[in-house]
Amino acid sequence: MARAHTYDAIILGAGAAGMMAAAVAGQRGRRVLLADHADAPGKKILISGGGRCNFTNLRAGSANYLSVNPHFARSALARYTPADFIALVDRYGIAWHEKTLGQLFCDGSARQIVAMLLAECDAGGVELSLSRAATAIDHADGQFRVTLGGRTVTAPRLVIATGGPSIPKMGATGFAYDVARRFGLKVVEPRPALVPLTLGGDETLFRELSGVATEVVASAATGRFREAALFTHRGLSGPAILQVSSYWRSGEPVEIDFLPDRASGWLTAEKRARPKATLRSTLGQSLPDRLAEALAERIALPGNLADLPDKALATAEQRLAAWTFHPNGSEGFAKAEVTIGGLSTDALSQKTMEAKAVSGLHFIGEGVDVTGWLGGYNFQWAWASGFACGEAL
Ligand code: FDA
């Protein structure tokens, strides 16, 4: 029997947040249409976490998110926690493990997470529409009218769950921002985040270290992370760099402590203990060989430690603890795991994710100006904002 084209809610975007909102609303008895322009749901989930989906982080709290209003995410995150998602995953018998720093991954495959969300949508009688783009949205008399590839559907509630523009080749778009602007809602300037940074000028030489990785403390603005950094043929990557890229602004430096476990005065202590060692051989004890060589060359203190004044060693030590890079850019939306910025949280209710100025219009997930750290935080925001919205539909 053909379904009527009228629903209680239309959700655009069958990604992480959209599937969660649809399942919750459907299971509350709402007639939900979940529509995506892609030919399959949850494509970013499938490629996430190297195919194993880092689906949440045990430590997720509002302090792990960037937003113009850092308190906005608190309400939704408190009402749908990592424990809630773990309970769902457990109910489906999906095996998982903690990799590091509270990051939870599937033992098997990210496909299990997509299958679970689809089963939850099914349990709520959600209708799924794929391969059809929304070409027009009208709003009149309390109803949203959406044109989906020749088909017109209506509902009193419309949810924009179309994510952000990172990785456009996977079908990611800035559609959420277009809808926001169409309804006169403010958008915080979107920029790529969790993205490798590029080096040029004098620092181009570091690209020769491509493939070298080491644990560092990296800082940019107020972001400070202890994780691995990786030199690449274009500049800097690895978890520590991806993390600080979310805080980095064009023209600003990134500081790296290459020896975070060394206490102040360690080089002069080395000089006393091993006077015949060189700076290069001393650095080689703690750092990968090629990196030790490159850093020693740039510090340019030749000869044995015994021949070097304590003051010069103290200066070298400071430089190694706060090596300043000046990235000339990032690898952009093509390589960014997420987009920072998006629909201004000022425009939304933090309880229902509904636009304050447009009754019935909700925004969830990455399209909103809430961006998590690397490590499962972004999916937790997608689940939590999707849940908050699904409860309000
Ligand atoms: P999401 O992008 O999931 O879904 C949006 C949906 O809307 C898509 O299905 C898209 O096709 C659809 N759409 C877009 N425009 C549309 C339009 N105009 N009309 C209709 N549909 C439209 N996070 C994390 O926590 N752990 C991890 O392991 C990873 N790993 C990871 C790896 C890689 C390579 C990337 C790129 C990203 C991650 N992330 C991650 C981030 C995570 O994938 C991201 O934060 C969430 O998928 C965001 O969920 P949303 O539902 O908001 O958007």
Side-chain angles (χ1 to χ4, degrees):
M1 192 179 79
R3 276 209 191 214
H5 289 182
T6 301
Y7 300 87
D8 293 321
I10 299 162
I11 301 178
L12 295 181
M19 283 197 277
M20 175 59 89
V24 171
Q27 291 179 26
R28 291 176 58 248
R30 303 293 180 263
R31 284 168 306 143
V32 178
L33 176 70
L34 177 61
D36 204 295
H37 67 172
D39 58 3
K43 285 193 173 180
K44 273 195 187 165
I45 300 176
L46 292 177
I47 59 156
S48 68
R52 290 221 159 89
C53 185
N54 177 192
F55 56 79
T56 191
N57 193 297
L58 293 173
R59 303 173 188 176
S62 60
N64 309 108
Y65 294 84
L66 291 87
S67 171
V68 170
N69 176 2
H71 303 296
F72 179 83
R74 193 175 284 167
S75 168
L77 290 170
R79 280 179 296 136
Y80 194 84
T81 65
D84 291 320
F85 196 76
I86 293 166
L88 181 61
V89 165
D90 286 346
R91 201 143 50 75
Y92 279 79
I94 299 172
W96 52 269
H97 61 280
E98 180 181 348
K99 195 167 169 194
T100 175
L101 303 170
Q103 303 167 3
L104 304 191
F105 286 75
C106 298
D107 288 357
S109 159
R111 285 177 202 286
Q112 295 171 289
I113 299 292
V114 174
M116 173 188 85
L117 291 166
L118 284 175
E120 285 291 292
C121 284
D122 245 18
V126 172
E127 187 182 327
L128 188 59
S129 161
L130 294 171
S131 305
R132 284 196 182 126
T135 45
I137 297 177
D138 294 309
H139 184 219
D141 306 325
Q143 292 286 319
F144 291 91
R145 260 177 104 77
V146 181
T147 310
L148 282 175
R151 179 184 182 217
T152 301
V153 290
T154 65
R157 293 195 178 269
L158 175 65
V159 181
I160 306 301
T162 50
S166 35
I167 322 260
K169 73 170 190 229
M170 292 195 58
T173 67
F175 183 78
Y177 315 145
D178 300 340
V179 176
R181 291 190 190 105
R182 142 94 173 75
F183 285 96
L185 307 176
K186 197 171 113 194
V187 173
V188 175
E189 186 205 350
R191 56 195 170 88
L194 299 183
V195 64
L197 299 175
T198 54
L199 296 176
D202 288 351
E203 294 173 335
T204 307
L205 289 170
F206 279 98
R207 297 199 209 153
E208 285 165 19
L209 298 178
S210 180
V212 171
T214 189
E215 187 171 324
V216 301
V217 172
S219 327
T222 56
R224 190 177 153 81
F225 295 87
R226 182 174 178 146
E227 284 186 70
L230 168 73
F231 290 92
T232 70
H233 67 290
R234 297 195 60 191
L236 297 167
S237 188
I241 301 301
L242 298 182
Q243 296 281 31
V244 296
S245 73
S246 301
Y247 291 81
W248 178 77
R249 293 278 188 163
S250 180
E252 290 178 1
V254 168
E255 236 176 57
I256 292 192
D257 182 349
F258 280 111
L259 296 161
D261 291 323
R262 296 289 197 165
S264 167
W266 72 274
L267 254 182
T268 40
E270 281 288 327
K271 170 176 160 177
R272 314 268 180 265
R274 300 190 318 124
K276 291 217 171 106
T278 59
L279 181 62
R280 157 84 182 74
S281 65
T282 306
L283 293 181
Q285 289 177 338
S286 315
L287 295 171
D289 225 42
R290 283 161 65 202
L291 177 60
E293 188 175 345
L295 294 175
E297 253 174 39
R298 279 163 185 78
I299 293 171
L301 287 177
N304 296 339
L305 292 181
D307 303 327
L308 298 170
D310 285 1
K311 207 167 153 210
L313 291 176
T315 307
E317 210 183 277
Q318 281 163 13
R319 219 173 144 195
L320 289 162
W323 198 280
T324 308
F325 287 96
H326 296 277
N328 64 359
S330 80
E331 293 198 26
F333 285 117
K335 291 284 165 65
E337 248 182 51
V338 288
T339 304
I340 217 163
L343 182 77
S344 169
T345 57
D346 287 351
L348 293 181
S349 151
Q350 59 182 3
K351 260 199 100 178
T352 61
M353 307 301 293
E354 184 175 8
K356 291 172 188 165
V358 189
S359 176
L361 180 64
H362 300 247
F363 288 79
I364 54 176
E366 198 180 317
V368 178
D369 174 33
V370 173
T371 307
W373 289 359
L374 184 77
Y377 298 99
N378 283 297
F379 279 137
Q380 188 57 37
W381 168 246
W383 317 136
S385 59
F387 180 84
C389 173
E391 289 262 283
L393 294 176

